[in-house]
Amino acid sequence: MTAQQLWILSLAVGAFSVAVFAAGLIWHLRRSARAEARVGEILHAREASAAAFNPFLMPGGSGSATSGGASKEEAEAAQTVADSMKVPAWLDSGLSKALLADEDRKLMEQAGIEIGRGGLLYIASRVVLAIVLPLLAILLLQPKGNYTLLYGFLAFGLGLMLPKWIMRAKAKKRREMVVEELPLFVDLLRLLQGVGLSIDQSLHILANEFGSVLRVISSELILANRLYSSGRTRTQSLQRLSLLGADDDMNAVVNLLVQVDRHGGAVQEPLKEFSIRLREKRQAGFKEKIGIITVKMTGVMVLTLLPALLVITAGPGFTAVIRSLSSMGGK
């Protein structure tokens, strides 16, 4: 057998082993989903049996039963969100932890991807691309000798790193959107606090009513509010939001909200000063960008305007010199 055939055979064996590993992961996921569904059925049966002996929990028992049912549904929804935030047990295994490191999990949170389903898709994409791209490179390019190993290694590295680069780009774009939305978020929060609303009410209004202008922050606030309703502390519920900012400004706002929620006090003046600082920072950033654009435009002007300027200004002189030289040559 040639070296190319041995390389293709090894890749095929690796693909088969990865497929077996993926099948095992899918089987564990289905088993855990069935176990969770069974636990939910048992809990619902116990609640139904308890409601049968308690007349206040009957559907037609009293007017408070409706509000109790609504709050119960909200609590169940919040608990579902809290459970979705937990890291699955299969992600702590050796190969899964190597393919989905702590840095990748942080990038996934910043990109707004759920760790459960997103982690499985991320690992599967890295494994599939790491196997498919070397096979395609060898079959299409048909290298010979040592180039087979070189092309296979390069394609393997590209397939392994391509999903991470895509997720990093998405997380970077989301952080930039948070930087753009932060001044408006601070101003709206200061406005809501000025009319006498509490921190909880202000965050609920910002999450539910301003989703069209605060696309990233509002979605994170919805998740934070549900986590807070499920029993998490304010610090734990806003932890994802504090990691979103490209700088420390969002972290400072989150720390301010946590301190006000924990100890109380007026928040309008700190938010006003923080808003002024954010606007000054943005103005300084705009001036820096204008300075960079001016330097870049200098090269563009030299390459485009200078030849035209030379033609316009020195063109008649060059034409006169050429005519005089031609006339002297004719004589």
Side-chain angles (χ1 to χ4, degrees):
M1 297 180 68
T2 62
Q4 183 176 358
Q5 292 176 349
L6 289 175
W7 177 252
I8 295 174
L9 181 61
S10 62
L11 288 178
V13 173
F16 177 75
S17 61
V18 170
V20 173
F21 177 73
L25 288 179
I26 295 173
W27 182 76
H28 283 294
L29 287 175
R30 293 185 63 183
R31 185 177 180 183
S32 61
R34 290 177 182 176
E36 291 177 0
R38 181 58 181 168
V39 171
E41 291 177 359
I42 294 174
L43 291 176
H44 284 301
R46 289 183 179 180
E47 291 174 357
S49 62
F53 291 99
N54 193 349
F56 295 101
L57 296 178
M58 299 282 294
S62 61
S64 62
T66 304
S67 61
S71 62
K72 181 180 176 182
E73 292 178 357
E74 293 177 358
E76 289 179 355
Q79 187 63 34
T80 303
V81 174
D83 293 336
S84 66
M85 297 292 295
K86 295 180 180 179
V87 179
W90 61 271
L91 285 178
D92 292 332
S93 60
L95 182 59
S96 300
K97 200 169 184 180
L99 293 175
L100 187 63
D102 294 335
E103 181 184 0
D104 301 330
R105 299 182 187 188
K106 185 178 179 180
L107 287 175
M108 192 172 294
E109 290 181 356
Q110 293 177 353
I113 301 174
E114 184 181 345
I115 189 66
R117 299 178 182 178
L120 178 61
L121 181 61
Y122 179 75
I123 292 175
S125 62
R126 295 190 77 177
V127 171
V128 170
L129 289 176
I131 295 175
V132 172
L133 289 184
L135 289 175
L136 290 177
I138 293 173
L139 292 177
L140 294 178
L141 300 177
Q142 295 182 355
K144 297 180 181 180
N146 295 328
Y147 289 101
T148 303
L149 184 61
L150 178 62
Y151 288 172
F153 179 76
L154 292 177
F156 174 79
L158 179 62
L160 196 64
M161 296 301 297
L162 186 60
K164 185 171 184 177
W165 291 340
I166 294 174
M167 189 170 61
R168 182 176 294 173
K170 186 176 180 180
K172 182 180 179 181
K173 182 179 179 181
R174 211 160 179 258
R175 289 196 300 267
E176 292 175 354
M177 292 177 64
V178 170
V179 172
E180 295 293 330
E181 296 174 0
L182 185 58
L184 180 59
F185 169 68
V186 173
D187 291 337
L188 290 174
L189 184 62
R190 181 166 61 91
L191 179 63
L192 293 174
Q193 289 292 302
V195 298
L197 297 179
S198 63
I199 294 294
D200 292 336
Q201 294 173 343
S202 301
L203 293 181
H204 277 286
I205 291 175
L206 289 173
N208 299 323
E209 302 296 334
F210 294 95
S212 59
V213 292
L214 302 175
R215 297 182 180 180
V216 179
I217 295 180
S218 63
S219 61
E220 291 295 329
L221 285 178
I222 291 173
L223 180 61
N225 291 332
R226 290 179 179 176
L227 290 175
Y228 185 71
S229 300
S230 65
R232 302 284 183 91
T233 62
R234 184 66 70 183
T235 305
Q236 294 173 349
S237 61
L238 294 175
Q239 184 178 4
R240 279 171 56 99
L241 188 61
S242 63
L243 296 175
L244 275 180
D247 45 22
D248 296 333
D249 293 333
M250 178 56 75
N251 192 16
V253 175
V254 171
N255 290 333
L256 179 62
L257 292 176
V258 170
Q259 294 297 326
V260 171
D261 182 73
R262 184 179 300 173
H263 303 290
V267 73
Q268 297 182 28
E269 285 299 323
L271 287 177
K272 182 179 179 181
E273 295 177 359
F274 192 76
S275 176
I276 294 173
R277 188 170 71 87
L278 281 178
R279 296 186 184 281
E280 293 177 352
K281 187 175 180 180
R282 293 191 70 181
Q283 290 177 359
F286 289 151
K287 291 180 181 178
E288 183 180 357
K289 291 180 180 179
I290 291 172
I292 294 174
I293 292 174
T294 303
V295 175
K296 292 181 178 179
M297 287 301 295
T298 303
V300 176
M301 292 172 65
V302 169
L303 293 176
T304 57
L305 296 180
L306 186 59
L309 186 62
L310 289 176
V311 170
I312 293 173
T313 57
F318 286 139
T319 305
V321 170
I322 293 172
R323 286 178 180 176
S324 62
L325 292 175
S326 62
S327 62
M328 290 176 62
K331 292 179 180 180

